[in-house]
Amino acid sequence: MTAPGDPALSAAAGPLYAAPEAFTLTLTLGGRYAGEQSWAIHAERSAVVARVQTDFGGVLPEIRRVQTSRLHPRQHTSLGYAEGDGRGRASFEVNFDRRAGTVTLRQGRDEASAPLTTDYQDPVSLLLWLRAQVAQATPEDGGDPATPERTHAQLTGGRVLIQRLPDQEIAGVPCSGFYLRPGSAYVFVEQAAPWRLMRLIQPTDFGPVEANVSAAPGRRAAPTGAPERRRRRT
């Protein structure tokens, strides 16, 4: 797995966003419905724009969170990120100005700038970067992606260690798994095209919230809480 911003991340990841994409993940907490997360991704000039709207509900308080990430179309590093409730100006924004060599963060009325000395990820671009790594590492013969056991990414809040997990089947689909810390989050990506984000697990104050891909037409989703077969990586 290459580090964020590494030139080795070739054009192989580019076709991921040749056409607009939209998908929905269903949220659960302890096996009970907890809302939905809608993703919309499209190319825009020299960037890929991903908008993620999370509507918590069910067993969780009804809260909406909207995240918007602009990322490099092939390196999948963040060009800018905003987060809010989608009803007005974002409550948090970060902009990476490579020409000026600065990173600017704004939270509420507070704003601060610092020198831009490395490539950064944001919470959304990091997931899409992991997806691109699986897509790029998938062998032509359709075998398991050959991704290293450990790597890291840099967010504005600090460095994230990414550990490869044993492959797992989710709803009958072979997936590559990753464990992120700090944060103790889990990410599972489909190992074959279209390399969907199949499952995300994020700790919250209420407990770990799972986001699982909605069943595709003609494909039955595994029942909630059903055991899933793990496969050993070769």
Side-chain angles (χ1 to χ4, degrees), residues 5 13 38 42 89 91 99-100 135-136 138 193 203 210 217-218 224 226:
S38 300
H42 68 277
R89 187 175 182 184
S91 58
R99 291 185 178 180
Q136 183 188 21
T138 302
E210 287 194 17
T224 302

Side-chain angles (χ1 to χ4, degrees), residues 101-163:
T102 59
V103 52
T104 302
L105 293 91
R106 186 188 66 80
Q107 189 163 12
R109 296 183 179 181
D110 297 328
E111 185 174 303
S113 296
L116 180 60
T117 58
T118 187
D119 285 325
Y120 283 89
Q121 296 291 349
D122 61 55
V124 173
S125 72
L126 176 58
L127 300 179
L128 297 180
W129 176 70
L130 286 173
R131 178 194 190 191
Q133 298 306 297
V134 176
Q136 183 188 21
T138 302
E140 292 183 1
D141 61 6
D144 293 350
T147 52
E149 295 296 319
R150 295 161 69 94
T151 187
H152 71 275
Q154 186 68 40
L155 274 70
T156 55
R159 186 175 179 179
V160 176
L161 177 64
I162 303 168
Q163 180 179 348

Side-chain angles (χ1 to χ4, degrees), residues 12 73 82 92 121 128 142 145 167 185 197 220:
F92 174 80
Q121 296 291 349
L128 297 180
D167 293 345
L197 295 173
R220 295 179 60 187

Side-chain angles (χ1 to χ4, degrees), residues 7-95:
L9 187 57
S10 67
L16 278 172
Y17 308 112
E21 182 179 4
F23 56 91
T24 299
L25 303 175
T26 300
L27 309 182
T28 58
L29 174 63
R32 301 173 65 187
Y33 178 78
E36 290 186 343
Q37 185 175 87
S38 300
W39 287 67
I41 308 172
H42 68 277
E44 184 177 283
R45 296 182 181 178
S46 59
V48 170
V49 178
R51 184 181 186 274
V52 184
Q53 178 173 308
T54 306
D55 290 300
F56 296 101
V59 296
L60 292 177
E62 294 187 359
I63 298 174
R64 171 171 290 177
R65 181 178 65 172
V66 177
Q67 301 164 278
T68 304
S69 173
R70 295 180 63 255
L71 56 147
H72 191 284
R74 283 188 282 188
Q75 294 180 353
H76 293 81
T77 50
S78 182
L79 303 175
Y81 174 78
E83 183 175 319
D85 61 9
R87 296 180 174 88
R89 187 175 182 184
S91 58
F92 174 80
E93 292 180 277
V94 59
N95 182 60

